Amino acid sequence: MTDVLRRGRASLAFGFFAQGVAFALLVTRIPAVQDRYGVSDALLPAFLAAVPVLAGIGSVTTEQLVKRVRPSRLLRWSQPVVLLALLGVGAGGQGQVAGLAVALGVFGLAVGALDASMNMLGVSLQRSYGRSIMLSFHAAYSLGGILGASLAWAGAHWHLALWVSYLPVVAVLLPAALVGSRWYVDGDPVPGREDHTDGGAGVGGGVVFRLLLPLCLVMTFAYIGDSTVSNWSAKYLKDVLGGSEQLATVPYNVYMVTTLAGRALGDFGVRRFGAVAVVRLGSLVAAGGFAVVAVAPGAWVGMLGFTLLGLGLCVVVPQTFAAAGRLFPGASDAAVARLNIFNYVGFLIGSPLVGALGDAWSYRGAMLVPMVLVLVTMGYARSFAPQPDRYGGGHERPRTADVGRGSNGL
């Protein structure tokens, strides 16, 4: 293990952290954004849906760009764009809906490139390390999300204008991210590595979507579950379980904290028991969480369900990215970019699905749908197994990292 790799890991973790802060600052202040610009309730869903759609376009574009530009360079410049777009969202005023649309559009496109390139580097660094470290990056993202949500709460509590809340954060994170990006590390596939994945991609090969499809479904199901918590936990606790308005703000915070805890410890579980066992256990715990939420007699039992959800779902997404990298060792960047699209597909499906089922049937019944989808993930758990290599092994192996061509060209 070299100092270059350690610095690369620390700098990438900060990138994940900064993105967690920025995204939480946006999504938790949506009501304030709506009030500031005077966006109607009828128009707001269109604005919110446009962000993940454009992020998907950004991820597709990134797949093409990394054929010519290293992921570290894309990450280095997409992160400042995300932060400046966030500031742009807070800078407008009443009636300036066109300006809001532009800012959110830029935010969405840049987030797609950022998410894809971050996870590309995470996958390549994990291969360079030769052991599971992917969950630690997503733990940094969760920590950033908790900080961002806390800063958003403070801004709302003190009735600060959006730009006043966003400007100090951008002023700190933007230069720090640019400085940290000097130590990003790109990696190259293992020279001479053969592929034995029954039609998968070897070195220099392409991505066979048929083989990637199980992981795409897992990613979609995981984000349907995640968006259910982020969009409906407060309403569910208040309207269905009879909790107070103040208590209704707690489930998402509990979910984020347990997500952080699970991801902080998850890499140790993968190293000890393997990715398949960890994903199966996480899916089972998450399904149990949805079941508890669905049958909870009161708010505090419901809170237990959201706690289980955080502990279960937290391991699925990072391990899905890692599995895509192992499945296509010669085309891991393309695999990650395509897989990342289904992050946004799940986000787009989850909230409307639960809302429609809740209105047509019941919100308790609606919670059973993501429960079933998460259980289906267990059937795809074998897709997370390490791919056999030409040495007959099935574990991550250290590979040569490109430390001479990082994002700063050093």
Side-chain angles (χ1 to χ4, degrees), residues 293-319:
V293 169
V295 303
W300 288 104
V301 177
M303 206 84 71
L304 172 62
F306 288 113
T307 300
L308 292 173
L309 279 171
L311 289 173
L313 284 178
C314 70
V315 301
V316 177
V317 171
Q319 284 306 303

Side-chain angles (χ1 to χ4, degrees), residues 328-351:
F328 299 97
S332 62
D333 290 347
V336 168
R338 293 188 194 181
L339 183 61
N340 188 57
I341 297 169
F342 291 85
N343 159 356
Y344 312 118
V345 171
F347 191 85
L348 278 172
I349 293 174
S351 181

Side-chain angles (χ1 to χ4, degrees), residues 124-298:
S124 68
L125 260 179
Q126 174 164 290
R127 191 175 297 161
S128 296
Y129 262 72
R131 65 176 188 269
S132 179
I133 61 172
M134 196 67 181
L135 279 154
S136 66
F137 296 127
H138 286 260
Y141 180 92
S142 298
L143 179 61
I146 293 170
L147 177 60
S150 300
L151 292 173
W153 177 90
H157 179 74
W158 295 105
H159 305 290
L160 300 177
L162 283 173
W163 72 269
V164 175
S165 297
Y166 292 166
L167 181 59
V169 175
V170 174
V172 171
L173 291 182
L174 195 153
L178 283 174
V179 171
S181 69
R182 292 176 58 83
W183 292 283
Y184 288 155
V185 174
D186 288 295
D188 289 323
V190 179
R193 180 167 184 170
E194 297 176 2
D195 178 65
H196 299 280
T197 55
D198 190 22
V203 174
V207 175
V208 179
F209 186 72
R210 175 178 57 84
L211 297 177
L212 188 64
L213 181 59
L215 297 178
C216 295
L217 292 175
V218 170
M219 181 71 78
T220 301
F221 298 158
Y223 271 97
I224 287 175
D226 181 82
S227 65
T228 298
V229 178
S230 59
N231 288 291
W232 293 103
S233 59
K235 179 179 175 62
Y236 188 88
L237 204 79
K238 183 176 182 293
D239 295 349
V240 178
L241 300 184
S244 65
E245 186 171 350
Q246 182 177 2
L247 189 62
T249 65
V250 177
Y252 185 69
N253 285 333
V254 169
Y255 174 76
M256 289 298 295
V257 170
T258 52
T259 294
L260 171 61
R263 287 174 171 174
L265 300 174
D267 282 321
F268 298 103
V270 174
R271 295 169 198 165
R272 178 66 177 84
F273 302 106
V276 173
V278 168
V279 169
R280 281 178 173 162
L281 179 60
S283 301
L284 185 62
V285 171
F290 276 117
V292 170
V293 169
V295 303

Side-chain angles (χ1 to χ4, degrees), residues 24-67:
L25 276 171
L26 177 65
V27 298
T28 56
R29 297 304 307 275
I30 291 299
V33 172
Q34 183 181 12
D35 292 342
R36 182 174 181 84
Y37 287 89
V39 179
S40 67
D41 290 339
L43 188 58
L44 182 62
F47 276 89
L48 298 182
V51 174
V53 169
L54 289 170
I57 294 173
S59 189
V60 171
T61 304
T62 299
E63 179 186 350
Q64 301 305 315
L65 289 175
V66 294
K67 297 175 182 178

